[in-house]
Amino acid sequence: MENIVRMLCLNGYSKNFTYSVIEKELNKRLCNDTKLVTEGPERKKVYLKLPYIGDMSMKVRGSIRKGLSGKLKLIFSNSYSKLTQKFGFKDRQPKHLKHDLVYEITCSCGRRYIGETCRAVKTRFDEHMKTSGSGMTVVGKRLSSSPTCKITFEQCKVLTFESNMYRRKIKESLFIQQFDDGSLIVDKLASVPLFLFSLPTHQDQLKGRIFPSFR
């Protein structure tokens, strides 16, 4: 130890500082050697994996942090494959919040409308329900001219999802051609013309024509 003290002093450290550091290190080692080892269950981190469902997931995480802070780690997952085997979720997202889709609205009179939107489908549906003033859609005009016609949100059906605007409009046009049996309420300005080919119409399907006719 004297050699260590001499070497540190030659490097500019004072004797008092050197002895104090050595004393602290020795005391630490002595305390560790005499420390009693208590036996008990091994502590492990507990993880809880839940599906992510938006704002509700954030509320659950906040509640767990308040009540079980440091005892439980919460992990959110977008995978429903294993969870649905036990709980059988019907849907990942409420219908009124769905967006980037092609939809179909069926009137009580039997006529249908096919459209597309990048916004929440309920927002677009409410716009269709406007029956007065400016900005009425063809559905709103239909309801305004036919007071006996009734449409509810339950009669709005999602046909497919598509985030790309142009591909979504093409899919909308394809569905319009496929389901056009004469009962569709069609907004000609909203659909994209298909120059290359068209899907078989309802009449073609009744006649057994299942392949598209090239133009």
Side-chain angles (χ1 to χ4, degrees):
M1 187 174 70
E2 293 297 331
N3 291 333
I4 295 174
V5 173
R6 189 181 305 109
M7 183 178 63
L8 292 174
C9 289
L10 291 175
N11 283 276
Y13 294 96
S14 66
K15 281 189 176 182
N16 291 335
F17 175 76
T18 303
Y19 280 119
S20 65
V21 172
I22 293 174
E23 182 181 5
K24 288 180 181 180
E25 183 63 26
L26 290 176
N27 288 334
K28 187 190 298 183
R29 294 191 179 188
L30 289 174
C31 291
N32 289 337
D33 291 339
T34 58
K35 187 177 180 179
L36 295 177
V37 179
T38 57
E39 295 184 358
E42 182 182 358
R43 293 186 178 182
K44 295 184 178 180
K45 290 184 178 181
V46 179
Y47 294 89
L48 178 62
K49 189 175 182 180
L50 294 176
Y52 180 78
I53 52 176
D55 293 339
M56 183 57 66
S57 297
M58 298 297 101
K59 292 180 180 179
V60 171
R61 183 172 67 178
S63 299
I64 290 178
R65 283 181 175 178
K66 290 180 180 179
L68 300 171
S69 178
K71 300 179 181 178
L72 185 66
K73 186 173 179 60
L74 187 61
I75 300 174
F76 292 115
S77 171
N78 289 328
S79 176
Y80 278 70
S81 57
K82 293 182 179 180
L83 203 60
T84 51
Q85 295 176 3
K86 295 184 178 181
F87 296 95
F89 287 106
K90 292 184 178 180
D91 209 344
R92 300 185 182 186
Q93 187 180 38
K95 177 182 174 182
H96 66 279
L97 295 179
K98 292 181 182 293
H99 55 88
D100 293 323
L101 50 81
V102 178
Y103 60 91
E104 178 189 59
I105 296 176
T106 304
C107 182
S108 59
C109 67
R111 301 201 66 179
R112 298 175 296 167
Y113 173 82
I114 293 177
E116 61 83 23
T117 183
C118 63
R119 298 171 295 160
V121 65
K122 184 61 167 61
T123 301
R124 183 57 177 156
F125 177 82
D126 290 341
E127 290 175 351
H128 284 306
M129 295 301 101
K130 184 179 179 181
T131 57
S132 62
S134 60
M136 282 195 302
T137 66
V138 291
V139 178
K141 293 176 182 178
R142 170 71 182 178
L143 294 174
S144 178
S145 61
S146 303
T148 57
C149 291
K150 303 294 180 182
I151 299 177
T152 62
F153 187 59
E154 285 70 23
Q155 295 166 303
C156 182
K157 174 184 175 183
V158 176
L159 297 177
T160 188
F161 294 92
E162 178 55 63
S163 58
N164 182 275
M165 182 187 69
Y166 186 72
R167 288 199 295 265
R168 188 169 62 247
K169 287 185 176 294
I170 289 178
K171 289 184 179 182
E172 175 196 24
S173 296
L174 288 171
F175 276 113
I176 289 174
Q177 291 191 40
Q178 184 178 3
F179 298 139
D180 189 8
D181 57 356
S183 65
L184 285 182
I185 306 172
V186 182
D187 186 355
K188 297 295 183 181
L189 297 177
S191 60
V192 174
L194 301 176
F195 300 102
L196 298 178
F197 68 91
S198 61
L199 289 179
T201 63
H202 182 72
Q203 297 298 328
D204 290 334
Q205 295 178 45
L206 293 178
K207 295 177 181 179
R209 300 174 185 170
I210 60 175
F211 295 102
S213 59
F214 291 88
R215 295 178 180 177

